[in-house]
Amino acid sequence: MANLVLFGPPGAGKGTQSERLIEKYGFIHLSTGDILRGEIKAQTTRGLEAKKLMDAGDLVPDDVVIGMIEHKIETAVGAKGFIFDGFPRTVAQAEALDSALESHGLAIDAMIALAVPDDELRTRLLERGKTSGRADDQNLDKINNRISVYKDETMPVAEFYSGQNKYKGVHGVGSIDSIFSDICSVIEDL
Ligand code: B4P
């Protein structure tokens, strides 16, 4: 089984497609967004610190998310394969992920990158904001900030994996089923 990074801008469908991939292939799913929202719900110190940044659409510091992911990898070693959703979001996180996996004799096999135009992202996130209760989905300025943080801080991660010949682009507009089928084709060709 492969270890995959599911990549894309906010609202690209990473969480949506991860759910289906887990069901089909039995991956261990590591979503830093979900883990952080869990910490906020549990009102941990880390969660309370992260909340301000997440609500504004900014990234949580690298050392916080790297520590969380290293811990989750430790507890799941021996799993069939990992799907990293929303992580890495900076080159420093990508380097830390390579080291953490390497220390267990593992590596990323592919980055699957969902490409979606900015207008479609804004529409999807505002729509989700009507029911998600997520502050970062309910305000256009915050959504625009998330998109620009993605362009400035996260897009270089795609070059990082391109340099390792692991980048696989997938068109992220269309039905959820057709995008899922394109992702499965990539995985089955690995
Ligand atoms: P995340 O939780 O990772 O989430 P996301 O960017 O909102 O989106 P995702 O792409 O998963 O969207 P989804 O499938 O749900 O991050 C939230 C915040 O956490 C970040 O801003 C940051 O503050 C913090 N954070 C997380 N990880 C971090 C890290 N590594 N480092 C630092 N900070 C970090 O899809 C969105 C909507 O689109 C849904 O409503 C869905 O139904 C819809 N949709 C999906 N596919 C569709 C399709 N094909 N057509 C139409 N609609 C579709």
Side-chain angles (χ1 to χ4, degrees):
M1 177 67 75
N3 296 309
L4 304 175
V5 170
L6 190 55
F7 185 79
K14 303 181 292 287
T16 305
Q17 296 296 338
S18 288
E19 278 179 27
R20 295 180 169 226
L21 291 167
I22 298 154
E23 197 183 326
K24 177 162 177 167
Y25 296 106
F27 286 113
I28 294 282
H29 179 221
L30 295 181
S31 158
T32 40
D34 287 350
I35 299 168
L36 288 165
R37 281 185 289 274
E39 301 251 358
I40 292 171
K41 206 168 168 195
Q43 298 198 306
T44 64
T45 313
R46 182 155 63 191
L48 295 174
E49 282 300 310
K51 185 174 186 326
K52 293 174 220 150
L53 294 161
M54 291 172 75
D55 283 353
D58 290 324
L59 294 183
V60 174
D62 284 339
D63 57 338
V64 174
V65 279
I66 289 168
M68 283 177 353
I69 283 284
E70 283 173 345
H71 175 69
K72 295 278 178 186
I73 292 172
E74 292 284 334
T75 54
V77 163
K80 273 171 141 187
F82 290 103
I83 185 154
F84 295 94
D85 162 8
F87 179 88
R89 261 179 157 95
T90 63
V91 171
Q93 291 180 17
E95 288 168 347
L97 178 59
D98 270 4
S99 309
L101 289 173
E102 200 182 331
S103 68
H104 298 289
L106 300 171
I108 290 296
D109 297 289
M111 163 194 262
I112 298 178
L114 294 168
V116 177
D118 293 356
D119 281 348
E120 171 73 12
L121 300 173
R122 291 185 192 99
T123 305
R124 287 183 190 181
L125 292 172
L126 286 171
E127 186 58 33
R128 183 172 68 183
K130 291 178 189 167
T131 54
S132 68
R134 279 177 56 173
D136 59 344
D137 284 347
Q138 291 173 21
N139 172 301
L140 195 53
D141 288 341
K142 289 178 182 177
I143 291 172
N144 284 333
N145 183 46
R146 289 164 70 189
I147 294 172
S148 70
V149 167
Y150 168 78
K151 288 181 179 164
D152 294 344
E153 298 184 48
T154 304
M155 273 179 61
V157 177
E159 283 162 41
F160 178 88
Y161 287 105
S162 279
Q164 298 183 0
N165 289 320
K166 293 176 180 170
Y167 178 93
K168 311 279 176 191
V170 170
H171 185 55
V173 181
S175 74
I176 290 171
D177 283 348
S178 70
I179 297 164
F180 180 63
S181 155
D182 290 346
I183 295 174
C184 292
S185 301
V186 169
I187 293 172
E188 278 151 33
D189 284 348
L190 285 175

